[in-house]
Amino acid sequence: MTTDTSEFQYVVTGEGGKVTIKKAYLDAFLDMFNGEIISYRLSERPNVQAIHDAQLEAIERTSDCLFRRTFHSDRGWAYHMKQYAILLENNKIFQTMSRKGNCLDNSPKENFFGLLKQEMYYGTIYTSLEEIKQANDKYIYYYNYKRIKSKFGTYRVRLAV
C-alpha cells in the first residue's frame, strides 16, 4: 500500500465578479499489488482527519490480507504523526517511508496522481469543491474498474463488484 496527498485548485466567483482561487487536497491509498485505489478523502485543506479516515478505511479493507501489510509514504508531515504510526502498529502493519529527497521511492502513487490530473483535471475549470469531489469519485471508479491496466504482463479490466 502506498499513500500521498495531491493538491487541486478550483475557481470561485463571488459578489461583484471577484474571482478567488481555492484549493482541495486528495489523500489516497493505493494497493501496489493490483493498482487499485483502496480509500481516499478530499478536503479543503491538508488535515489530520481526512488522512486518518482514509487510513482507517484502507486498514479495514485490507484486514483479510494473509501476508504482512506494509504502508509506504513519502516523508510528509502527516506520516510522521504518532497517531498515524500507532494505528499502523496496533494493526500489525509495517510502515516505510521514501528516502529523503527521493520522489522515485513513491513512484506508484505519483504515477496515479499524474494520470488522474492528466485525464481528469488539466484543461477543465472546476468551480467548487463538490464539483472536484464528483470528478474524483467518477475518475477513481473508472481507474479501479474500467481503465485497462497492464499489470502482471496481461491486459485486464476489473469487473465492478
Side-chain angles (χ1 to χ4, degrees):
M1 189 76 53
T2 183
T3 186
D4 203 356
T5 302
S6 192
E7 178 185 287
F8 298 84
Q9 293 183 347
Y10 60 100
V11 178
V12 176
T13 305
E15 290 183 31
K18 182 182 176 187
V19 175
T20 306
I21 305 289
K22 294 201 170 196
K23 296 179 181 179
Y25 297 87
L26 178 64
D27 302 295
F29 286 78
L30 179 135
D31 186 332
M32 290 174 59
F33 174 73
N34 65 2
E36 178 182 7
I37 298 299
I38 298 293
S39 66
Y40 63 97
R41 296 295 185 278
L42 187 74
S43 56
E44 290 184 282
R45 57 183 166 32
N47 68 81
V48 172
Q49 193 62 53
I51 293 167
H52 181 72
D53 290 348
Q55 180 191 23
L56 277 174
E57 185 180 347
I59 290 170
E60 183 179 309
R61 289 198 56 204
T62 60
S63 64
D64 62 348
C65 181
L66 300 175
F67 305 101
R68 181 189 83 178
R69 292 177 287 169
T70 301
F71 279 35
H72 181 77
S73 67
D74 62 12
R75 294 188 164 273
W77 61 271
Y79 314 116
H80 284 280
M81 292 184 308
K82 282 186 181 180
Q83 177 184 8
Y84 183 88
I86 289 170
L87 188 55
L88 294 179
E89 186 178 319
N90 289 345
N91 286 278
K92 297 177 175 66
I93 298 171
F94 189 70
Q95 181 179 12
T96 63
M97 289 185 172
S98 299
R99 293 169 291 173
K100 195 171 191 174
N102 194 337
C103 64
L104 297 176
D105 286 350
N106 205 18
S107 62
K109 194 73 194 102
E110 301 296 345
N111 182 61
F112 166 75
F113 282 138
L115 290 171
L116 180 142
K117 287 184 175 184
Q118 188 175 34
E119 296 177 358
M120 179 216 84
Y121 178 70
Y122 294 137
T124 304
I125 298 173
Y126 293 95
T127 58
S128 70
L129 181 66
E130 184 58 32
E131 196 175 344
I132 288 183
K133 182 183 181 332
Q134 289 174 2
N136 273 298
D137 290 347
K138 185 177 176 181
Y139 182 82
I140 289 171
Y141 179 85
Y142 160 76
Y143 181 83
N144 281 346
Y145 300 109
K146 306 281 186 190
R147 193 173 196 281
I148 294 174
K149 297 185 175 90
S150 61
K151 196 80 168 169
F152 308 116
T154 59
Y155 290 95
R156 301 184 312 167
V157 176
R158 292 201 56 222
L159 299 175
V161 178

